[in-house]
Protein backbone atom coordinates (compact mmCIF):
# COMPACT_ATOMS: atom_id res chain seq x y z
CA UNK A 1 0.00 0.00 0.00
CA UNK A 2 1.39 3.45 -0.95
CA UNK A 3 1.23 5.99 1.86
CA UNK A 4 -0.83 9.18 1.46
CA UNK A 5 0.68 12.58 0.67
CA UNK A 6 1.21 14.96 3.53
CA UNK A 7 0.54 18.56 2.45
CA UNK A 8 0.87 21.59 4.72
CA UNK A 9 -0.30 25.14 4.14
CA UNK A 10 1.47 28.13 5.63
CA UNK A 11 1.41 31.92 5.68
CA UNK A 12 1.00 34.96 7.89
CA UNK A 13 -2.43 35.63 9.38
CA UNK A 14 -5.09 36.53 6.79
CA UNK A 15 -3.06 35.32 3.79
CA UNK A 16 -6.11 33.53 2.30
CA UNK A 17 -5.10 29.95 3.16
CA UNK A 18 -8.56 28.74 4.12
CA UNK A 19 -10.21 29.48 0.75
CA UNK A 20 -7.41 27.68 -1.09
CA UNK A 21 -7.42 24.69 1.26
CA UNK A 22 -11.11 24.04 0.52
CA UNK A 23 -10.40 24.18 -3.22
CA UNK A 24 -7.42 21.88 -2.82
CA UNK A 25 -9.57 19.35 -1.01
CA UNK A 26 -12.33 19.48 -3.65
CA UNK A 27 -9.79 19.13 -6.45
CA UNK A 28 -8.00 16.17 -4.87
CA UNK A 29 -11.31 14.42 -4.19
CA UNK A 30 -12.32 14.97 -7.84
CA UNK A 31 -9.10 13.19 -8.83
CA UNK A 32 -10.05 10.20 -6.72
CA UNK A 33 -7.92 10.88 -3.62
CA UNK A 34 -9.23 10.29 -0.13
CA UNK A 35 -8.50 13.53 1.71
CA UNK A 36 -8.40 14.52 5.34
CA UNK A 37 -8.38 18.18 6.27
CA UNK A 38 -6.95 19.21 9.61
CA UNK A 39 -5.38 22.20 11.31
CA UNK A 40 -2.77 23.32 13.78
CA UNK A 41 -3.04 24.00 16.58
CA UNK A 42 -6.04 21.65 16.78
CA UNK A 43 -7.45 18.70 14.87
CA UNK A 44 -8.03 16.41 17.88
CA UNK A 45 -10.13 16.81 21.03
CA UNK A 46 -7.02 17.46 23.13
CA UNK A 47 -5.29 19.71 20.58
CA UNK A 48 -8.45 21.82 20.07
CA UNK A 49 -8.59 22.39 23.83
CA UNK A 50 -4.94 23.42 23.84
CA UNK A 51 -5.74 25.72 20.89
CA UNK A 52 -8.39 27.56 22.85
CA UNK A 53 -5.89 28.25 25.64
CA UNK A 54 -3.12 29.34 23.25
CA UNK A 55 -5.28 31.72 21.23
CA UNK A 56 -7.46 33.18 23.99
CA UNK A 57 -6.68 36.93 24.04
CA UNK A 58 -7.16 37.03 27.84
CA UNK A 59 -3.89 35.15 28.45
CA UNK A 60 -1.60 38.12 27.85
CA UNK A 61 0.77 36.78 30.56
CA UNK A 62 1.66 33.57 28.65
CA UNK A 63 5.43 33.03 28.63
CA UNK A 64 7.28 32.18 25.41
CA UNK A 65 8.32 28.83 26.88
CA UNK A 66 4.77 27.89 27.88
CA UNK A 67 3.56 28.95 24.43
CA UNK A 68 6.06 26.82 22.53
CA UNK A 69 5.42 23.79 24.72
CA UNK A 70 1.66 24.12 24.28
CA UNK A 71 2.00 24.29 20.49
CA UNK A 72 4.28 21.25 20.63
CA UNK A 73 1.91 19.25 22.84
CA UNK A 74 -0.97 19.99 20.46
CA UNK A 75 1.23 18.95 17.51
CA UNK A 76 2.42 15.71 19.14
CA UNK A 77 -1.18 14.64 19.77
CA UNK A 78 -2.28 15.47 16.22
CA UNK A 79 0.64 13.64 14.62
CA UNK A 80 0.17 10.51 16.67
CA UNK A 81 -3.62 10.38 16.65
CA UNK A 82 -4.44 11.67 13.16
CA UNK A 83 -1.64 12.48 10.71
CA UNK A 84 0.55 9.38 10.92
CA UNK A 85 -2.31 6.81 10.95
CA UNK A 86 -4.04 8.60 8.05
CA UNK A 87 -1.05 8.73 5.71
CA UNK A 88 -0.33 5.10 6.57
CA UNK A 89 -3.85 4.29 5.27
CA UNK A 90 -3.11 6.09 1.93
CA UNK A 91 -5.18 9.12 2.92
CA UNK A 92 -3.88 12.49 1.69
CA UNK A 93 -3.63 14.84 4.65
CA UNK A 94 -3.87 18.62 4.24
CA UNK A 95 -2.86 20.43 7.40
CA UNK A 96 -3.54 24.15 7.85
CA UNK A 97 -0.20 25.17 9.46
CA UNK A 98 2.49 22.86 10.86
CA UNK A 99 6.18 23.00 11.77
CA UNK A 100 6.98 26.00 9.56
CA UNK A 101 4.51 28.07 11.60
CA UNK A 102 6.48 27.01 14.68
CA UNK A 103 9.82 28.12 13.21
CA UNK A 104 8.31 31.33 11.78
CA UNK A 105 6.26 32.43 14.84
CA UNK A 106 8.16 31.02 17.84
CA UNK A 107 11.56 31.17 16.13
CA UNK A 108 11.69 34.34 14.05
CA UNK A 109 8.74 36.07 15.74
CA UNK A 110 9.45 35.38 19.41
CA UNK A 111 13.21 34.95 18.97
CA UNK A 112 13.54 31.41 20.36
CA UNK A 113 16.71 29.70 19.09
CA UNK A 114 16.53 27.30 16.15
CA UNK A 115 18.31 24.45 17.97
CA UNK A 116 15.78 24.35 20.80
CA UNK A 117 12.84 24.45 18.39
CA UNK A 118 14.39 21.71 16.29
CA UNK A 119 14.89 19.49 19.33
CA UNK A 120 11.30 19.93 20.54
CA UNK A 121 9.94 19.49 17.01
CA UNK A 122 11.90 16.26 16.69
CA UNK A 123 10.11 14.92 19.77
CA UNK A 124 6.68 16.20 18.70
CA UNK A 125 6.66 14.99 15.07
CA UNK A 126 9.07 12.05 15.25
CA UNK A 127 10.06 12.23 11.57
CA UNK A 128 6.66 13.14 10.14
CA UNK A 129 7.72 15.89 7.73
CA UNK A 130 5.43 17.26 4.97
CA UNK A 131 5.97 16.10 1.40
CA UNK A 132 5.02 19.54 0.19
CA UNK A 133 4.28 22.90 1.80
CA UNK A 134 2.45 25.83 0.21
CA UNK A 135 3.54 29.20 1.54
CA UNK A 136 0.98 31.92 0.82
CA UNK A 137 3.12 34.99 0.46
CA UNK A 138 1.28 38.19 1.44
CA UNK A 139 2.37 41.39 3.16
CA UNK A 140 1.27 40.86 6.78
CA UNK A 141 -0.26 44.33 7.00
CA UNK A 142 -2.72 43.49 4.21
CA UNK A 143 -3.47 40.07 5.73
CA UNK A 144 -4.15 41.41 9.20
CA UNK A 145 -6.50 44.10 7.87
CA UNK A 146 -8.44 41.38 6.03
CA UNK A 147 -8.52 39.19 9.14
CA UNK A 148 -9.66 41.90 11.55
CA UNK A 149 -12.45 42.93 9.19
CA UNK A 150 -13.65 39.30 8.84
CA UNK A 151 -13.34 37.69 12.29
CA UNK A 152 -11.77 39.92 14.93
CA UNK A 153 -8.42 38.92 16.40
CA UNK A 154 -6.87 36.25 18.66
CA UNK A 155 -3.91 36.46 21.07
CA UNK A 156 -1.28 35.97 18.34
CA UNK A 157 -2.95 38.32 15.85
CA UNK A 158 -3.03 40.97 18.59
CA UNK A 159 0.77 41.12 18.50
CA UNK A 160 2.35 44.33 17.22
CA UNK A 161 2.97 44.64 13.48
CA UNK A 162 6.76 44.30 14.03
CA UNK A 163 6.15 40.76 15.31
CA UNK A 164 4.18 39.86 12.17
CA UNK A 165 6.89 41.37 9.97
CA UNK A 166 9.49 39.16 11.66
CA UNK A 167 7.26 36.12 11.13
CA UNK A 168 6.85 37.04 7.45
CA UNK A 169 10.60 37.49 7.02
CA UNK A 170 11.06 34.13 8.75
CA UNK A 171 8.78 32.41 6.25
CA UNK A 172 10.80 33.87 3.39
CA UNK A 173 14.00 32.53 4.95
CA UNK A 174 12.45 29.08 5.45
CA UNK A 175 11.22 29.05 1.84
CA UNK A 176 14.77 29.81 0.70
CA UNK A 177 16.19 27.12 2.97
CA UNK A 178 13.84 24.34 1.74
CA UNK A 179 13.13 25.21 -1.91
CA UNK A 180 12.20 21.63 -2.81
CA UNK A 181 9.56 21.28 -0.12
CA UNK A 182 8.20 24.83 0.26
CA UNK A 183 6.38 26.29 -2.77
CA UNK A 184 5.84 30.04 -2.56
CA UNK A 185 2.51 31.28 -3.91
CA UNK A 186 1.95 35.00 -4.56
CA UNK A 187 -1.20 35.51 -2.45
CA UNK A 188 -1.64 39.19 -3.31
CA UNK A 189 -3.61 38.25 -6.46
CA UNK A 190 -7.37 37.56 -6.72
CA UNK A 191 -8.36 34.17 -5.21
CA UNK A 192 -9.13 32.61 -8.63
CA UNK A 193 -5.67 33.46 -9.93
CA UNK A 194 -4.04 32.14 -6.77
CA UNK A 195 -6.01 28.93 -7.20
CA UNK A 196 -4.80 28.37 -10.78
CA UNK A 197 -1.25 28.54 -9.48
CA UNK A 198 -1.94 26.20 -6.55
CA UNK A 199 -3.76 23.71 -8.78
CA UNK A 200 -0.91 23.68 -11.31
CA UNK A 201 1.59 22.94 -8.55
CA UNK A 202 -0.66 20.27 -7.03
CA UNK A 203 -1.15 18.54 -10.37
CA UNK A 204 2.58 18.61 -10.94
CA UNK A 205 3.23 17.00 -7.57
CA UNK A 206 0.67 14.32 -8.33
CA UNK A 207 2.25 13.74 -11.72
CA UNK A 208 -0.77 14.81 -13.73
CA UNK A 209 1.20 17.33 -15.80
CA UNK A 210 4.73 17.03 -17.00
CA UNK A 211 6.27 20.49 -16.58
CA UNK A 212 5.70 23.93 -15.03
P1 LIG B 1 -5.06 30.28 12.70
O1 LIG B 1 -5.63 28.93 12.88
O2 LIG B 1 -6.08 31.34 12.61
O3 LIG B 1 -4.06 30.36 11.64
O4 LIG B 1 -4.35 30.62 14.10
C1 LIG B 1 -3.26 29.95 14.60
C2 LIG B 1 -2.28 30.98 15.13
O5 LIG B 1 -1.23 30.29 15.81
C3 LIG B 1 -1.62 31.79 14.03
O6 LIG B 1 -1.49 33.14 14.47
C4 LIG B 1 -0.23 31.19 13.92
C5 LIG B 1 0.04 30.68 15.30
N1 LIG B 1 0.94 29.51 15.38
C6 LIG B 1 2.15 29.62 16.07
O7 LIG B 1 2.48 30.68 16.59
N2 LIG B 1 2.94 28.52 16.17
C7 LIG B 1 2.61 27.30 15.63
O8 LIG B 1 3.36 26.33 15.77
C8 LIG B 1 1.33 27.20 14.94
C9 LIG B 1 0.91 25.90 14.36
C10 LIG B 1 0.54 28.33 14.85
Amino acid sequence: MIRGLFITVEGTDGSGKTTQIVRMQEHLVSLGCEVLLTREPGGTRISENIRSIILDPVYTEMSNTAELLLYSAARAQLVEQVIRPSIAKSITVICDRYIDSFYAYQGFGRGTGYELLEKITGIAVNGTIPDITFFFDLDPEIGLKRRFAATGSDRIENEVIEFHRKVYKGYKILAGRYPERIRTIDASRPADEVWLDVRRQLDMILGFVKSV
Side-chain angles (χ1 to χ4, degrees):
M1 189 189 265
I2 303 167
R3 75 165 176 85
L5 261 188
F6 180 26
I7 302 169
T8 59
V9 181
E10 296 281 357
T12 47
D13 296 274
S15 55
K17 291 181 284 107
T18 315
T19 315
Q20 300 299 328
I21 286 172
V22 172
R23 290 187 177 191
M24 281 165 75
Q25 181 188 26
E26 287 167 358
H27 182 60
L28 288 165
V29 168
S30 79
L31 296 174
C33 302
E34 192 176 340
V35 181
L36 185 132
L37 212 60
T38 189
R39 68 170 179 181
E40 266 234 88
T44 72
R45 201 160 63 137
I46 293 169
S47 313
E48 287 291 334
N49 272 313
I50 297 173
R51 176 189 177 92
S52 51
I53 295 173
I54 296 177
L55 297 182
D56 193 329
V58 300
Y59 297 130
T60 50
E61 74 275 31
M62 189 180 293
S63 76
N64 287 350
T65 309
E67 180 182 279
L68 71 90
L69 291 172
L70 285 170
Y71 274 116
S72 301
R75 179 164 305 129
Q77 186 65 36
L78 180 69
V79 168
E80 211 168 305
Q81 190 183 332
V82 175
I83 297 176
R84 209 172 307 129
S86 299
I87 56 182
K89 282 188 266 174
S90 300
I91 296 168
T92 295
V93 174
I94 305 175
C95 191
D96 183 351
R97 298 193 179 282
Y98 194 59
I99 52 174
D100 298 295
S101 283
F102 196 51
Y103 289 115
Y105 283 79
Q106 279 62 55
F108 292 95
R110 298 281 189 229
T112 303
Y114 184 80
E115 274 180 23
L116 175 62
L117 296 185
E118 202 181 27
K119 210 179 273 177
I120 295 168
T121 298
I123 297 167
V125 310
N126 195 16
T128 303
I129 303 297
D131 295 298
I132 198 82
T133 299
F134 288 98
F135 162 49
F136 288 92
D137 182 346
L138 181 70
D139 183 312
E141 226 154 320
I142 300 172
L144 285 168
K145 266 191 204 137
R146 269 192 201 169
R147 176 57 68 93
F148 292 159
T151 57
S153 57
D154 61 37
R155 193 179 61 83
I156 303 286
E157 288 159 353
N158 279 343
E159 282 294 335
V160 291
I161 187 68
E162 285 70 34
F163 171 82
H164 294 283
R165 281 196 205 295
K166 282 191 234 165
V167 171
Y168 178 63
K169 217 171 145 192
Y171 270 126
K172 297 275 222 188
I173 293 170
L174 291 167
R177 200 178 284 167
Y178 305 107
E180 281 300 304
R181 176 173 64 83
I182 303 181
R183 307 287 163 96
T184 301
I185 304 287
D186 173 2
S188 66
R189 300 167 295 170
D192 286 345
E193 256 179 65
V194 174
W195 167 241
L196 286 181
D197 201 0
V198 173
R199 195 182 68 186
R200 195 170 48 111
Q201 301 258 1
L202 256 186
D203 287 347
M204 231 168 45
I205 294 153
L206 293 165
F208 283 97
V209 289
K210 289 202 164 54
S211 59
V212 185

